[in-house]
């Protein structure tokens, strides 16, 4: 089946894709520039028999989502900057207790209240490390309305597959822009649901990982009476301080994401085959980079784009390969240095890294990237 | 003799509560109330925050969720909305439920969502070692009020009444039979039910303030000048039912 073509806004696409992915619960709190996701789902979810609730704050919205996921629903919450900060503690609770949930952060200028209606890419490191403690994190970064749609579905799938929160991270421009979008037919994508336990209630160990390191799930109220706690816990879910048990859990948490690397890690390579200069960019900045590349190519500059789609886990292997091929990588970001440090770590001196950074609340213009490329050809 | 064992997780014993703590008395009253209502353990979810009282969920053989500090009601709201058929009981304390989690208490009451919230009020942060709480009486000493508490304490029952709570009650860890009945009535109430339970912390709070032996502290609860029993009982549309109505309307059925 063919999809349907619509004029769609980024945030609207996120809401529609959530429904397509099987989301039946949304809890949120109003915040610019993400509110359209809540508004759209307030309208759509009841029609599908789903539940929508506007909570009293961002912390409560994250908590309610986790509660509903424990009740067996696929859940979504959406926020921006300040709200993302507030969600961090409960986000860590979901990581540790292995409760699937999807969190959208539409990035605006910061820190603090910052620029509520302007784009930025300043939450990249926060998305990775915002909640306290050592933990894995999956973060996906779309760069178009259609990609918001696809990655929203992917975020739900990965969250269900790994039983871990997945963050969809995009900037205000991507969230608010409207573009012609082919909405795929449901036959064009697969939907993954969390693995259900097949053991009897007596034998059920809620935190024993299977071969894939992911424990099987049972929603509350099904006769499998078990305990969920944010304290360090054993396979039964009960609190423990046993060093061996604590470390084993910690390692399994990381492993279950690492061993799915091939399914999670994604990037786009645009005109990189013959490139001697690569631009590394994501989100709206990658769109400007693409425009800059077209112009540069006309000028005979062999330049291409490396666009990470999964920011975390970071596409180490893929970027490392590129590093041996080009004479410079221009890292363009709307911050004063975040993912460039990851690029630097991976490139490890193999090639020159050039920063183009902007923190004015305006998107990076193609001409600015072009200038940087011309300087380093 | 009531068989408490049928509700306990033996593997979680011994519990962490100090000798003489009032929490065990409340736990037993809660279990008798559950038994009195003939509720199946499978259909009960208990949700708690952080603190001494919140450790209760680990000991009870139900679906139990020990969440983050202050947020039990918010987690419980999501769970209840997702699974209205599950009986959700929230366990919290005066620090967890009134300080860091005070906002959620107001809004759970305002929504009239069918949760039963038991607030164990021992007037102190016990687990963290005895810091002043929103219900510590004026002038009493704690580790963070070494010159005496300078802040006014407040009445959580009046707060919940003001926020529109449809079932508000106060019991004590001293009068356990009336407490058991209050808890049972709260669970049966359709809508948000709030039960403040006055309890004691002899180890951390009592010793510092020379409030007497554990038994004397319990006896002192009987002499409270605060009103006890059911303080307010009214009916209002229950949140999860209202949501079902919205779904019916959105689907053109209502």
């Amino acid at each position: 089946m063919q999809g349907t073509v619509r004029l769609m806004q980024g945030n609207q696409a996120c809401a529609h894709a959530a429904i397509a992915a099987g989301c039946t619960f949304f809890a949120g709190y109003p915040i610019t520039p993400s509110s359209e996701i809540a508004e759209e789902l307030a309208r759509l979810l009841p029609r599908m028999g789903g539940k929508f609730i506007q909570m009293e704050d961002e912390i409560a919205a994250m908590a309610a989502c986790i509660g509903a996921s424990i009740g067996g629903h696929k859940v979504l919450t959406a926020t921006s900057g300040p709200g993302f900060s507030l969600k961090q503690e409960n986000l860590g609770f979901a990581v540790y207790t292995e409760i699937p949930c999807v969190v959208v952060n539409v990035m605006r200028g910061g820190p603090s209240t910052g620029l509520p209606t302007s784009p930025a890419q300043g939450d990249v490191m926060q998305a990775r490390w915002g909640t306290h403690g050592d933990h894995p994190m999956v973060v996906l970064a779309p760069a178009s309305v259609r990609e918001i749609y696809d990655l929203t579905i992917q975020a739900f799938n990965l969250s269900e597959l790994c039983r871990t929160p997945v963050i969809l991270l995009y900037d205000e421009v991507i969230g608010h822009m409207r573009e012609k979008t082919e909405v795929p037919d449901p036959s064009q994508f697969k939907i993954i649901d969390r693995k259900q336990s097949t053991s009897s209630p007596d034998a059920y160990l809620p935190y024993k990982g299977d071969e894939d390191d992911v424990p099987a799930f049972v929603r509350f109220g099904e006769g499998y009476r078990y305990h969920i706690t944010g304290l360090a816990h054993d396979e039964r879910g009960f609190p423990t301080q046993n060093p061996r048990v604590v470390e084993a859990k910690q390692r399994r948490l990381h492993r279950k994401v690492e061993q799915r690397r091939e399914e999670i890690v994604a990037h786009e390579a645009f005109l990189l085959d013959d490139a001697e200069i690569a631009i590394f960019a994501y989100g709206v900045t990658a769109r400007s980079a693409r425009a800059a590349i077209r112009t540069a190519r006309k000028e005979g500059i062999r330049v291409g784009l490396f666009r990470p789609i999964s920011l975390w886990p970071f596409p180490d292997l893929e970027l490392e390969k590129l590093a041996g091929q080009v004479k410079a990588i221009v890292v363009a970001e709307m911050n004063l240095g975040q993912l460039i440090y990851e690029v630097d770590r991976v490139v490890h001196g193999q090639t020159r890294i050039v920063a183009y950074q902007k923190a004015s609340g305006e998107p990076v213009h193609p001409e600015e990237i072009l200038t940087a490329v011309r300087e380093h050809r | 003799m009531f068989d408490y064992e049928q509700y306990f997780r033996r593997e979680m014993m011994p519990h962490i509560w100090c000798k003489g703590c009032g929490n065990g008395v409340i736990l037993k009253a809660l279990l008798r109330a559950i038994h009195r209502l003939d509720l199946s353990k499978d259909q009960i979810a208990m949700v708690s925050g952080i603190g001494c009282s919140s450790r209760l969920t680990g000991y009870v053989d139900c679906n139990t969720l020990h969440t983050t500090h202050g947020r039990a009601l918010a987690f419980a709201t999501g769970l209840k909305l997702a699974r209205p058929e599950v009986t959700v009981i929230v366990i919290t304390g005066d620090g967890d439920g009134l300080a860091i989690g005070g906002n959620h208490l107001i809004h759970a009451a305002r929504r009239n969502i069918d949760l039963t919230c038991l607030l164990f009020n021992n007037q102190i942060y016990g687990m963290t070692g005895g810091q002043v709480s929103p219900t510590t009486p004026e002038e009493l000493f704690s580790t963070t009020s070494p010159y005496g508490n300078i802040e006014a304490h407040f009445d959580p029952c009046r707060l919940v009444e003001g926020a529109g709570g449809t079932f508000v009650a106060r019991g004590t860890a001293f009068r356990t039979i009336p407490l058991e009945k209050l808890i049972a009535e709260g669970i049966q109430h359709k809508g948000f039910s709030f039960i403040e339970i006055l309890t004691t912390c002899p180890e951390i709070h009592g010793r510092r303030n020379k409030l007497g032996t554990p038994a004397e502290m319990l006896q002192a609860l009987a002499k409270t000048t605060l009103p006890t029993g059911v303080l307010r009982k009214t009916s209002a549309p229950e949140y999860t039912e209202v949501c079902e109505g919205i779904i019916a309307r959105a689907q053109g059925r209502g």
Side-chain angles (χ1 to χ4, degrees), chain A residues 21-33:
Chain A
C23 172
T24 49
F25 187 97
F26 180 94
Y29 186 82
I31 188 162
T32 304

PDB file of all heavy atoms in Angstrom, chain A residues 21-33:
ATOM      1  N   ALA A  21       2.335   3.938  16.038  1.00  0.00           N
ATOM      2  CA  ALA A  21       3.247   3.012  16.721  1.00  0.00           C
ATOM      3  C   ALA A  21       2.546   2.222  17.824  1.00  0.00           C
ATOM      4  O   ALA A  21       3.135   1.327  18.422  1.00  0.00           O
ATOM      5  CB  ALA A  21       4.422   3.786  17.310  1.00  0.00           C
ATOM      6  N   GLY A  22       1.306   2.595  18.115  1.00  0.00           N
ATOM      7  CA  GLY A  22       0.555   1.864  19.146  1.00  0.00           C
ATOM      8  C   GLY A  22       0.491   2.576  20.480  1.00  0.00           C
ATOM      9  O   GLY A  22       0.074   1.994  21.489  1.00  0.00           O
ATOM     10  N   CYS A  23       0.884   3.845  20.495  1.00  0.00           N
ATOM     11  CA  CYS A  23       0.810   4.618  21.742  1.00  0.00           C
ATOM     12  C   CYS A  23      -0.649   4.780  22.157  1.00  0.00           C
ATOM     13  O   CYS A  23      -1.499   5.162  21.363  1.00  0.00           O
ATOM     14  CB  CYS A  23       1.459   5.992  21.531  1.00  0.00           C
ATOM     15  SG  CYS A  23       1.238   7.126  22.912  1.00  0.00           S
ATOM     16  N   THR A  24      -0.939   4.470  23.424  1.00  0.00           N
ATOM     17  CA  THR A  24      -2.311   4.614  23.920  1.00  0.00           C
ATOM     18  C   THR A  24      -2.381   5.499  25.155  1.00  0.00           C
ATOM     19  O   THR A  24      -3.421   5.575  25.817  1.00  0.00           O
ATOM     20  CB  THR A  24      -2.912   3.231  24.268  1.00  0.00           C
ATOM     21  OG1 THR A  24      -1.962   2.520  25.079  1.00  0.00           O
ATOM     22  CG2 THR A  24      -3.235   2.432  23.023  1.00  0.00           C
ATOM     23  N   PHE A  25      -1.259   6.148  25.481  1.00  0.00           N
ATOM     24  CA  PHE A  25      -1.257   6.987  26.686  1.00  0.00           C
ATOM     25  C   PHE A  25      -0.277   8.133  26.510  1.00  0.00           C
ATOM     26  O   PHE A  25       0.873   7.930  26.124  1.00  0.00           O
ATOM     27  CB  PHE A  25      -0.841   6.158  27.905  1.00  0.00           C
ATOM     28  CG  PHE A  25      -0.970   6.892  29.213  1.00  0.00           C
ATOM     29  CD1 PHE A  25      -2.104   6.730  30.011  1.00  0.00           C
ATOM     30  CD2 PHE A  25       0.031   7.749  29.653  1.00  0.00           C
ATOM     31  CE1 PHE A  25      -2.225   7.415  31.212  1.00  0.00           C
ATOM     32  CE2 PHE A  25      -0.084   8.438  30.856  1.00  0.00           C
ATOM     33  CZ  PHE A  25      -1.217   8.266  31.646  1.00  0.00           C
ATOM     34  N   PHE A  26      -0.747   9.327  26.810  1.00  0.00           N
ATOM     35  CA  PHE A  26       0.130  10.499  26.813  1.00  0.00           C
ATOM     36  C   PHE A  26      -0.116  11.283  28.090  1.00  0.00           C
ATOM     37  O   PHE A  26      -1.259  11.563  28.444  1.00  0.00           O
ATOM     38  CB  PHE A  26      -0.165  11.405  25.606  1.00  0.00           C
ATOM     39  CG  PHE A  26       0.711  12.642  25.559  1.00  0.00           C
ATOM     40  CD1 PHE A  26       1.886  12.659  24.822  1.00  0.00           C
ATOM     41  CD2 PHE A  26       0.365  13.790  26.268  1.00  0.00           C
ATOM     42  CE1 PHE A  26       2.701  13.794  24.789  1.00  0.00           C
ATOM     43  CE2 PHE A  26       1.169  14.929  26.244  1.00  0.00           C
ATOM     44  CZ  PHE A  26       2.336  14.935  25.501  1.00  0.00           C
ATOM     45  N   ALA A  27       0.948  11.641  28.777  1.00  0.00           N
ATOM     46  CA  ALA A  27       0.855  12.582  29.891  1.00  0.00           C
ATOM     47  C   ALA A  27       1.848  13.690  29.609  1.00  0.00           C
ATOM     48  O   ALA A  27       2.990  13.405  29.231  1.00  0.00           O
ATOM     49  CB  ALA A  27       1.175  11.900  31.218  1.00  0.00           C
ATOM     50  N   GLY A  28       1.430  14.919  29.755  1.00  0.00           N
ATOM     51  CA  GLY A  28       2.332  16.018  29.427  1.00  0.00           C
ATOM     52  C   GLY A  28       2.027  17.266  30.224  1.00  0.00           C
ATOM     53  O   GLY A  28       1.190  17.262  31.148  1.00  0.00           O
ATOM     54  N   TYR A  29       2.742  18.310  29.867  1.00  0.00           N
ATOM     55  CA  TYR A  29       2.602  19.602  30.521  1.00  0.00           C
ATOM     56  C   TYR A  29       2.917  20.642  29.446  1.00  0.00           C
ATOM     57  O   TYR A  29       3.832  20.437  28.659  1.00  0.00           O
ATOM     58  CB  TYR A  29       3.598  19.697  31.683  1.00  0.00           C
ATOM     59  CG  TYR A  29       3.440  20.937  32.514  1.00  0.00           C
ATOM     60  CD1 TYR A  29       2.460  20.999  33.517  1.00  0.00           C
ATOM     61  CD2 TYR A  29       4.237  22.064  32.302  1.00  0.00           C
ATOM     62  CE1 TYR A  29       2.300  22.141  34.272  1.00  0.00           C
ATOM     63  CE2 TYR A  29       4.075  23.208  33.064  1.00  0.00           C
ATOM     64  CZ  TYR A  29       3.105  23.245  34.043  1.00  0.00           C
ATOM     65  OH  TYR A  29       2.941  24.385  34.783  1.00  0.00           O
ATOM     66  N   PRO A  30       2.159  21.748  29.413  1.00  0.00           N
ATOM     67  CA  PRO A  30       2.374  22.690  28.307  1.00  0.00           C
ATOM     68  C   PRO A  30       3.767  23.320  28.328  1.00  0.00           C
ATOM     69  O   PRO A  30       4.208  23.791  29.373  1.00  0.00           O
ATOM     70  CB  PRO A  30       1.312  23.766  28.557  1.00  0.00           C
ATOM     71  CG  PRO A  30       0.296  23.125  29.460  1.00  0.00           C
ATOM     72  CD  PRO A  30       1.065  22.149  30.295  1.00  0.00           C
ATOM     73  N   ILE A  31       4.424  23.306  27.204  1.00  0.00           N
ATOM     74  CA  ILE A  31       5.692  24.036  27.072  1.00  0.00           C
ATOM     75  C   ILE A  31       6.005  24.255  25.590  1.00  0.00           C
ATOM     76  O   ILE A  31       5.859  23.350  24.770  1.00  0.00           O
ATOM     77  CB  ILE A  31       6.864  23.311  27.796  1.00  0.00           C
ATOM     78  CG1 ILE A  31       8.114  24.205  27.786  1.00  0.00           C
ATOM     79  CG2 ILE A  31       7.167  21.957  27.196  1.00  0.00           C
ATOM     80  CD1 ILE A  31       9.166  23.822  28.814  1.00  0.00           C
ATOM     81  N   THR A  32       6.419  25.452  25.286  1.00  0.00           N
ATOM     82  CA  THR A  32       6.850  25.800  23.938  1.00  0.00           C
ATOM     83  C   THR A  32       8.291  25.315  23.749  1.00  0.00           C
ATOM     84  O   THR A  32       9.091  25.485  24.669  1.00  0.00           O
ATOM     85  CB  THR A  32       6.790  27.335  23.771  1.00  0.00           C
ATOM     86  OG1 THR A  32       5.459  27.751  24.079  1.00  0.00           O
ATOM     87  CG2 THR A  32       7.172  27.774  22.364  1.00  0.00           C
ATOM     88  N   PRO A  33       8.650  24.796  22.636  1.00  0.00           N
ATOM     89  CA  PRO A  33       7.888  24.596  21.380  1.00  0.00           C
ATOM     90  C   PRO A  33       7.414  23.153  21.145  1.00  0.00           C
ATOM     91  O   PRO A  33       7.458  22.684  20.025  1.00  0.00           O
ATOM     92  CB  PRO A  33       8.929  24.988  20.335  1.00  0.00           C
ATOM     93  CG  PRO A  33      10.251  24.557  20.939  1.00  0.00           C
ATOM     94  CD  PRO A  33      10.089  24.590  22.438  1.00  0.00           C
TER      95      PRO A  33
END
